[in-house]
Amino acid sequence: MSQTLNIQNLHASVDGNEILKGLTLEVPKGEVHAIMGPNGSGKSTLSKVLAGHEDYEVSEGTVTMDGVDLLELEIDERSRAGLFLAFQYPHEIPGVTNANFLRAALQARLPKGEEIDAVAFYKDMYAQMDSLSMDRKFTGRAVNDGFSGGEKKRNEILQMMMLDPSYAILDETDSGLDIDALKIVAEGVNRMRSPERGFLVITHYQRLLDYIVPDVVHVLFDGQIIKTGGKELALELEEKGYDWVTQELAPA
Amino acid sequence: MAQENPVSWFAAPPVFDLGLELPDWYRQLQESSWQKFLTTPEPARTDESWRFADLKKVRFSELQAARPAENVEALIQRAKTERVDDFAAHFVFANNRLVHSEINELPEGAVCLPINEALVEHGDLVKQHFMQEEGSLGGDKFSALHAAATLSGLFIHFPKGATCELPILTHHFASGDFNCVFPHTLVIAEDNADVSVVDTFETATNDEQTIFFANVDLVATNGANLQYVALQDESDHGPKHVQLNSSRVGRDARIKSAFVNLGAEWIRQESIARMMEQGSDCQIFSANLANGVQEYDQRTLQSHEAQHTTSDLLFKNALYDQSRTIFAGLIEVKPGSHHTDSYQTCRNLLGSNEAEANAMPGLEIDADQVKCSHGSTSGQISDEEIFYLQARGIDAEAARQMISLGFLNESIARLKGEAVQTYLFERVERKFRSLRSA
């Protein structure tokens, strides 16, 4: 079975408007792929479609994860199957503590009747929080409630660490981060890099890729990947700007 | 008199002999209150304080003072199994009678006694603080009835400086159709005392039409801290629950009270909080989970009567099926009560299109340099929140439950004492589970 996240000719629309227009992309385990693109190119739509958001309708194409048809699965089933989406705008869940939230997410992965080992859970969570320089008081705070932008993004990475996915999609994780927070988040991601895991890093800016160095860079424009290259493509894009994409790379 | 009044709920005053020499003032109060009960009209549709209420729920007849409960041992066992983990004292009442008590530790000088015994042994203190609230939010007839009846419940007196970390617990059980119980809780926290009380109201079995006419008097003087929690976890069809609460807060003192409603077919809770001296603070929380055809009717008054007083109210309702809630809250800032700081929020989470949440917030300000805000919101769980939890592997149904539980937990989390919070949280969770399996 192929160990990849394989997206073939994906067409997806929201409110009747087609946003993804035949996107093809393959992320093998062990690699970090970056997707860059101007506003409106379909970056966030791709992450939402992969996670299974119900507002987005897939009209054509396939997505498989290690051979499993992802589009046939419910949102929560996709997560339990090993897909993780770090949200661009993580939601606030008042009254639900971070610890209880993570516990429920891990519990959902266990067979019925099996209980999570609370001691091991807290030990693991504290260790991961320490590595992200997160204060332990965040375990008792409501999920993202009153968190700063940087705290929310760190919380996303904490969830990723705890859930240990096979494929992680980072949707503009750099937005709203100052340079220190960006470094901490990037270090967290880099520690997670492994031959057993694939990453899809979606970003508008090249800056993040200084810290999370990708194996492959894709340029997304108008719902299609129009150029693929190595990490140097990100630098070229940064230098020439997105006008270069629209004027020279875009298919006429 | 009773025979002359065609709408009387009782054929005779709901009293029985306790074998105690009750003081004269109290016997007279009982008698005059009975007359007042008989002459006070039933709530009417034209009465603003009963707006939105289903008045059919208060058309009582053939009620009676509860006869002794059966299977008392089982009730005691239940109360002991399902109580706050750590406690200072625990009293269990069944059908108005004390059936169990245990005291672990109380600070020196503190008194914790059944109210009827306190009437005999601490008559002056009881007389000074018992049902002194003259204002009403519509429940005059209930308050007169309560004062006329033989009571159950606790008298708690913490003298100056007495403090206790652990809560004092009572359980009030009722059983038997048309049986009425009259729980009373009177808590006096004197200067710098610190006391916490948890009342739990339950029915012995399902489907019994029992009625609770409860009354709570809370008094905190200079610098005292008083926390009061009422958990109403009666059977969700049959029982009715009326509870009138009075809080009187003195200088630099604080009263925190919380009302958690899960059971009963119909409830009416009225809370009057008076911030009477400089630095008085009152916090009032409620977390209610209504389903089926339950109707929860809550009316509150935050009365600021001195300068530099503060209050905060947060009521949360989660509604399912055809349930209804009514919240009517008034913040009143009396003349000269400058520098008042007062908040009032009611939030409703609608889990069904047929559920109905009514909110009537109000403000009356007669002072300067006052900070007051009030607001109410009603809404459904947002799809984006569910998406977020689902994206972490939690199924949609569990996600809805987590969000609703979190919603209610926000007011429970404001209480002092982890064991108390856990106790309430687990009861709310238990009701959610029962909704889910239904």
Side-chain angles (χ1 to χ4, degrees):
Chain A
M1 195 194 299
S2 60
Q3 296 288 301
T4 67
L5 177 63
N6 192 350
I7 305 165
Q8 292 293 326
N9 189 33
L10 186 63
H11 291 256
S13 55
V14 60
D15 296 334
N17 299 318
E18 193 175 58
I19 310 286
L20 300 183
K21 302 172 179 174
L23 186 145
T24 294
L25 177 70
E26 192 172 355
V27 183
K29 266 189 184 157
E31 293 186 8
V32 174
H33 286 222
I35 291 188
M36 298 183 70
N39 291 331
S41 58
K43 299 193 298 289
S44 281
T45 296
L46 175 62
S47 69
K48 294 269 173 62
V49 169
L50 292 178
H53 197 293
E54 283 161 6
D55 286 354
Y56 298 83
E57 196 181 333
V58 175
S59 54
E60 208 182 329
T62 59
V63 181
T64 57
M65 187 170 78
D66 298 346
V68 175
D69 184 353
L70 208 58
L71 300 178
E72 282 298 305
L73 302 181
E74 293 292 325
I75 306 161
D76 49 303
E77 291 171 330
R78 295 180 194 197
S79 167
R80 296 198 296 273
L83 184 75
F84 182 88
L85 168 63
F87 282 64
Q88 181 178 7
Y89 303 110
H91 279 278
E92 300 179 0
I93 316 286
V96 177
T97 65
N98 248 338
N100 283 347
F101 173 49
L102 276 171
R103 224 175 133 151
L106 286 166
Q107 182 72 50
R109 287 160 165 78
L110 295 179
K112 237 187 162 59
E114 204 173 305
E115 280 291 318
I116 201 165
D117 177 347
V119 176
F121 164 72
Y122 273 95
K123 200 177 157 203
D124 190 21
M125 181 169 59
Y126 287 145
Q128 308 284 21
M129 290 176 82
D130 290 350
S131 78
L132 290 168
S133 305
M134 274 178 90
D135 195 309
R136 288 184 182 186
K137 71 171 191 287
F138 279 99
T139 55
R141 283 181 55 180
V143 180
N144 298 325
D145 194 8
F147 287 24
S148 72
E151 287 164 349
K152 283 182 181 174
K153 294 301 172 74
R154 255 185 257 194
N155 208 26
E156 293 293 291
I157 302 305
L158 172 67
Q159 291 168 29
M160 178 175 77
M161 289 171 154
M162 294 296 290
L163 298 179
D164 195 22
S166 306
Y167 297 94
I169 305 158
L170 276 55
D171 187 5
E172 308 221 13
T173 293
D174 49 333
S175 67
L177 289 188
D178 61 33
I179 194 72
D180 292 329
L182 182 67
K183 279 181 187 167
I184 290 167
V185 164
E187 279 168 24
V189 172
N190 287 331
R191 270 196 306 277
M192 294 278 290
R193 290 176 83 150
S194 113
E196 300 303 312
R197 194 172 356 255
F199 283 92
L200 191 56
V201 180
I202 297 172
T203 182
H204 186 79
Y205 301 103
Q206 181 270 336
R207 184 182 71 154
L208 176 68
L209 306 180
D210 285 341
Y211 299 96
I212 304 173
V213 180
D215 299 301
V216 179
V217 175
H218 306 276
V219 179
L220 178 65
F221 180 73
D222 195 23
Q224 289 182 319
I225 301 293
I226 53 165
K227 191 170 175 65
T228 295
K231 63 187 179 204
E232 63 288 344
L233 177 58
L235 293 167
E236 194 176 0
L237 200 54
E238 176 76 2
E239 190 188 318
K240 297 182 177 172
Y242 280 116
D243 285 347
W244 172 58
V245 176
T246 54
Q247 285 159 20
E248 295 186 29
L249 297 182
Chain B
M1 281 294 283
Q3 288 78 4
E4 291 168 26
N5 190 332
V7 292
S8 174
W9 305 343
F10 293 86
V15 292
F16 56 89
D17 186 14
L18 292 159
L20 291 169
E21 276 300 318
L22 297 172
D24 286 344
W25 69 265
Y26 178 67
R27 290 196 176 284
Q28 283 157 17
L29 175 69
Q30 280 186 308
E31 280 160 27
S32 63
S33 298
W34 178 249
Q35 293 310 319
K36 189 179 171 200
F37 164 71
L38 293 177
T39 53
T40 304
E42 289 186 321
R45 193 154 299 283
T46 48
D47 189 345
E48 182 63 20
S49 61
W50 286 87
R51 202 168 161 211
F52 296 118
D54 178 4
L55 293 174
K56 287 195 293 293
K57 299 283 202 280
V58 286
R59 299 289 177 250
F60 298 112
S61 62
E62 296 175 55
L63 301 181
Q64 63 202 13
R67 285 188 278 268
E70 292 168 10
N71 297 322
V72 165
E73 275 313 311
L75 297 178
I76 296 170
Q77 218 35 55
R78 195 163 113 199
K80 287 168 82 167
T81 317
E82 300 177 355
R83 64 186 170 191
V84 180
D85 278 345
D86 299 315
F87 58 91
H90 186 198
F91 289 73
V92 182
F93 297 86
N95 279 8
N96 247 27
R97 287 139 182 104
L98 178 69
V99 293
H100 175 79
S101 66
E102 52 188 303
I103 292 181
N104 287 338
E105 56 164 270
L106 283 175
E108 207 183 324
V111 175
C112 189
L113 267 184
I115 184 100
N116 296 309
E117 290 177 37
L119 278 164
V120 179
E121 292 178 33
H122 301 274
D124 289 347
L125 257 180
V126 177
K127 188 179 179 187
Q128 191 187 341
H129 297 290
F130 181 77
M131 298 191 77
Q132 292 299 302
E133 178 55 57
E134 286 174 356
S136 163
L137 299 177
D140 316 52
K141 195 169 178 73
F142 299 113
S143 104
L145 174 62
H146 184 88
T150 300
L151 305 175
S152 63
L154 279 191
F155 165 82
I156 298 165
H157 176 226
F158 271 42
K160 189 173 175 179
T163 67
C164 185
E165 282 279 305
L166 301 176
I168 294 163
L169 316 178
T170 66
H171 269 78
H172 287 282
F173 287 102
S175 73
D177 281 345
F178 310 111
N179 272 351
C180 299
V181 295
F182 300 91
H184 195 98
T185 303
L186 170 55
V187 188
I188 305 159
E190 290 185 351
D191 302 7
N192 299 315
D194 195 326
V195 58
S196 165
V197 179
V198 180
D199 279 344
T200 302
F201 302 94
E202 292 188 41
T203 39
T205 59
N206 289 330
D207 304 329
E208 286 181 302
Q209 307 207 18
T210 54
I211 300 151
F212 292 73
F213 293 104
N215 202 299
V216 177
D217 288 317
L218 308 174
V219 180
T221 62
N222 302 328
N225 256 307
L226 193 169
Q227 174 168 291
Y228 172 80
V229 173
L231 168 64
Q232 182 276 107
D233 197 10
E234 297 152 20
S235 159
D236 58 10
H237 43 302
K240 293 174 183 170
H241 183 100
V242 177
Q243 186 171 349
L244 309 178
N245 307 279
S246 152
S247 294
R248 299 172 158 253
V249 200
R251 189 179 174 107
D252 298 323
R254 165 183 286 185
I255 294 181
K256 237 184 213 199
S257 49
F259 306 96
V260 177
N261 290 292
L262 305 174
E265 175 188 309
W266 175 81
I267 70 148
R268 168 87 175 189
Q269 271 170 346
E270 298 178 8
S271 299
I272 298 180
R274 297 195 184 276
M275 282 56 76
M276 302 169 79
E277 292 176 74
Q278 194 169 317
S280 302
D281 176 59
C282 210
Q283 301 182 16
I284 312 163
F285 307 116
S286 191
N288 305 308
L289 174 51
N291 74 311
V293 292
Q294 287 180 311
E295 178 174 313
Y296 290 168
D297 183 350
Q298 295 176 304
R299 319 265 163 163
T300 66
L301 170 65
Q302 294 154 267
S303 179
H304 291 267
E305 303 173 3
Q307 295 194 22
H308 297 283
T309 56
T310 52
S311 70
D312 191 9
L313 177 148
L314 178 63
F315 275 34
K316 298 199 128 194
N317 297 310
L319 297 91
Y320 292 83
D321 309 325
Q322 295 91 43
S323 60
R324 299 179 80 226
T325 60
I326 301 159
F327 169 77
L330 178 65
I331 295 174
E332 197 176 2
V333 181
K334 294 275 174 73
S337 303
H338 309 304
H339 308 285
T340 284
D341 204 335
S342 183
Y343 300 91
Q344 181 201 90
T345 308
C346 173
R347 297 198 191 288
N348 302 302
L349 191 62
L350 297 165
S352 139
N353 291 330
E354 294 168 275
E356 178 188 319
N358 303 282
M360 295 172 280
L363 276 179
E364 275 174 28
I365 300 176
D366 201 347
D368 306 318
Q369 291 184 284
V370 164
K371 270 199 288 185
C372 284
S373 81
H374 67 172
S376 72
T377 57
S378 289
Q380 301 187 338
I381 296 175
S382 93
D383 290 341
E384 293 304 315
E385 281 182 46
I386 295 171
F387 175 63
Y388 187 65
L389 267 63
Q390 273 192 285
R392 297 297 176 253
I394 299 163
D395 72 61
E397 189 55 40
R400 279 178 188 283
Q401 185 175 325
M402 258 190 115
I403 293 165
S404 307
L405 197 53
F407 169 80
L408 293 180
N409 190 40
E410 266 199 302
S411 42
I412 294 172
R414 304 261 199 114
L415 292 170
K416 190 182 69 176
E418 208 172 314
V420 172
Q421 285 186 19
T422 304
Y423 174 67
L424 298 172
F425 187 74
E426 284 177 353
R427 289 294 183 107
V428 177
E429 203 174 21
R430 184 160 89 185
K431 177 158 181 188
F432 267 116
R433 275 201 306 273
S434 77
L435 293 188
R436 207 179 169 187
S437 61

